[in-house]
Amino acid sequence: MFRNIKASALLLVGISLSLFGQTPRAVYLDDTRPMNERVEDALSRMTVQEKVAVCHAQSKFSSTGVPRLGIPELWTMDGPHGIRPEVFWDEWSQAGWTNDSCIAFPALTCLAASWDKEMALLYGKSIGEEARYRNKNVLLGPGVNIYRSPLNGRNFEYMGEDPFLASKMVVPYIKGVQQNGVAACVKHFALNNQETDRFGVNVTVDDRALYEIYLPAFKAAVQEGEVWTIMGSYNLYKNQHCCHNQYLLNDILRGEWGFKGAVISDWGGVSNTREAIFNGLDIEFGTWTDGLKTGTSNAYDNYYLAKPYLQLIQKGEVGTKELDDKVRRILRLAFLTSMDRNKPFGSFGTEEHALAGRKIAEEGIVLLKNKNNVLPIDLSKTKRIVVIGENALKKMTVGGGSSSLKVKYELSPLDGIKKRAGAQTEIVYARGYVGDATGSYNGVVTGQDLSEKRSADELLAEACTLAKTADYVIFIGGLNKSENQDSEGADRLSLSLPYHQDKVIEELAKLNKNLVVVNISGNAVAMPWVNKVPAIVQGWFLGTEAGTALAEVLVGDVNPSGKLPFSFPVKLEDNAAHALGEFPGKDHQVTYNEGIFVGYRWHDKQNIKPLFSFGHGLSYTTFEYGKVSADKKETSAADKVTFTVDVKNTGKREGSEVVQLYISDLKSSLPRPLKELKGFEKVSLKAGETKTVSFTIDSSALSFFDADKHAWVAEPGDFEAIVAASSTDIKSKVGFKLK
Ligand code: BGC
C-alpha cells in the first residue's frame, strides 16, 4: 500500500518535472548512484568518436571530455614537488600566467629520508590542495622508481633504493593527494632507472628482481594507496614499450593486482597504435612534443589513439571491447575528480603549505657526520661564519626537467643562515667555485645573476683567505638541476662532485677545523675528503623553505632526524649496477645482472663498507637501544609475530630516532639478501625518555618471490629479526622459526 503511494508520488514528480521542461537527472550525473551504474550509463550515451576522443590529449597537459554530455576535460600537471606553471596549449614554453607561482616542497628523496609516514601524508595533502586550487585533476607524481645507480639523473624525484621504504611512503602521499579529489599518478611504470637512452633502452631483469625490488612500491600504490592513475614509462621491457606493455600493464597491473584506474602514457611514450589498443594503455599524452606544428591540421587527431584507432574500428579491423574498457576507466577517473561535486576547493601558495614543506625538510635533512660535536653551531659564541659555495645561493626549484617550478619564493641557504644569525653573528659569503650560472629554465627566470668573471684560482684564493678568519666555515655545494646533474633527460657522468668542489673542500679543511660541508643533491656523491671534514650534512633539494630548514638544523633549533633512503658508496664500482658492468647498457639493451642485490643488499652480500649506509643519520642527542624480543619463538604462515625494543634518549635534548627492523632468512633454497628492511618507526623522545617500539609482521615479510612457481614463498625454517639504526648499525637480534 505504502509502496503504491510512494510510486504514485514519484510518478507525479516525474510528470510535473517534464511538464515544466525538466527531465530527471541522468544516472551518470547522479552521484548518489553506484559508480559502475554511472559509468555504464555515460558509456551507453557516447558515440564511438566521443569514446576515441577521450583516449588522447587535446593539448600539452589536457585531454578532452565529452562536451555534449557535460563531462569535463581532464587536466593533468606535474608534479611531483609542486604544481608546474602553465604552458601554452601546444608548446612547452611559459604561458605567462601571473597566478601560478606555487609552493615548492622538498624533493621526494628528502621526503623518503624523513622515514615518516605522517610527513608523506602531509606532503600529499598539501600538494593535492595546490593542485586542486589550480583546477588540476591529475597530479603527475609521485615517482617510485628504485635507486639502482647513483648516476640516474632522476633519482631526486624518487624514494630511494628500498622497496619497503618506498612502498610505505608512497601510500600516504597518494591518500593525501586524492582526498582533494585530485588523482595521483604514480610513475614511471616500470624499470625506468636511467635517463640515458630513455626512449629506446630495453631492460632485461629477472622476475625475482622485478617482483622483489622494482614492483613493490607500485603494487602498494595500487592495492594500499588505491591510486587512480599510473604513468607508463619510456623504456622497454621484453622489447615492448612500457606505455603499452602486455606483461606490465595487462598481466601484472590489471591481471595480478586488479588495478581499476587509468594508465596514462608518459609524454611521447606511445609509438604503436595496435599495442596501445591492446596492451593496457588508456590515455595517450605528449606524442610529437611540438604539438600542432607537426602532423597535418591537428596533431592531436593523429595521435596513435586518435584517428588511426578510429579508422581501425571503422574498417572493422578491431572491435570496441578494448575501447569500452578504456573509456570506463576514464569515466571513473572523471567521476572521482573533475565531476566530484563534493571535493574541497583547495588552496594555493599558502603559508600553511610553506610550513608543511619546511617541516618535511626539517624531518628529512640528514646529519651524516659530526665529529667532536662541531654541530650545532652555538651562535652566542660565534662571531663570524664564512659561507662558501654556489649552492648556498643558487635557486634549486627551477630546472631539472618536468619537475621544474615557478615558485612564490625560495629562501636560499645563505639567506636562511643570515636571517637566523641576525645581527649577533657576522655572515660572510664567498662563491668558491662556479658551477651552473644559468638562472632560467623553460622560460622560468630565477632573477639571479650568477655570472662570474673571476678565475677558478681567484675564487678559491678568496674563499681560503676568508676561511682562516672564521669561527665556522660552512661549505654548501653538491649537485644542481642542470644537465648531467640531478636532472631529467640525461644521467650524471660520474659519482664525483662537479666543478672542482673536491679541491675547494680539501683546501678549506686545511685552513679551518670547524668546517661543515652541506651537500645539496638528490644523489650520492663521492667524498674523498670525508676523513678531513668534521661535519657533513645531506641537504637535498628542499624547496621554498630550504634556507630556513637548513639554518635551523645547523644552529640546532631543529635536531636532525633524517636517515638516508639510499646508500652512499665510496666509489662507483661499489654499486652493484656498476660492479657488474651494466649501466647504462649499450645498443639499447641493459641487463640488471645484479638481480635482487640492489643497494645495501649488494653491500651486505659482498661485504663492502659504504661511505654512508642506507638508513644512516645522526642526531644531536644519543640513543640507547635495549634488546629486541619476540612475542613468540615460532610462528606460522597464517600468524603474525611482534618484536619489541626499548629505545632511550640518553642525551641532553629532545630528538627523534628512526628505528629499523630488518629480517634475515638464515637458510633458504634460493639465495637471499643477508637482511631486508621490513619495518621502521620514527619515535620522538625527550631527554632521558624511553619508549617501547614494536613491529608486527606477517609471513609476507618472510617471503621471497619464487620465479619458477611465480609465487611468493615463505619457507619454513629459522629467521632473525634485526633491530638497527642503519643497515650497518645493528643493535640487537632475536631468532624465531616459521613452522
Ligand atoms: C616526464 C614525466 C612528466 C611528463 C610531463 C615526461 O617527460 O618523464 O615524468 O610527468 O613529461 O611533463
Side-chain angles (χ1 to χ4, degrees), residues 625-629 644-645 721-724 729-734:
Y625 284 64
K627 172 122 188 55
V628 58
S629 62
T644 312
V645 65
I722 302 168
V723 165
D729 186 3
I730 290 168
K731 301 297 186 183
S732 70
K733 302 176 183 183
V734 61

Side-chain angles (χ1 to χ4, degrees), residues 78 84 154 187-188 198 231 234 266-267 402 488:
D78 289 300
R84 184 176 174 157
R154 290 191 88 172
K187 63 192 189 182
H188 308 91
R198 64 175 175 165
M231 186 188 291
Y234 285 138
D266 199 348
W267 270 233
S402 56
E488 184 178 336

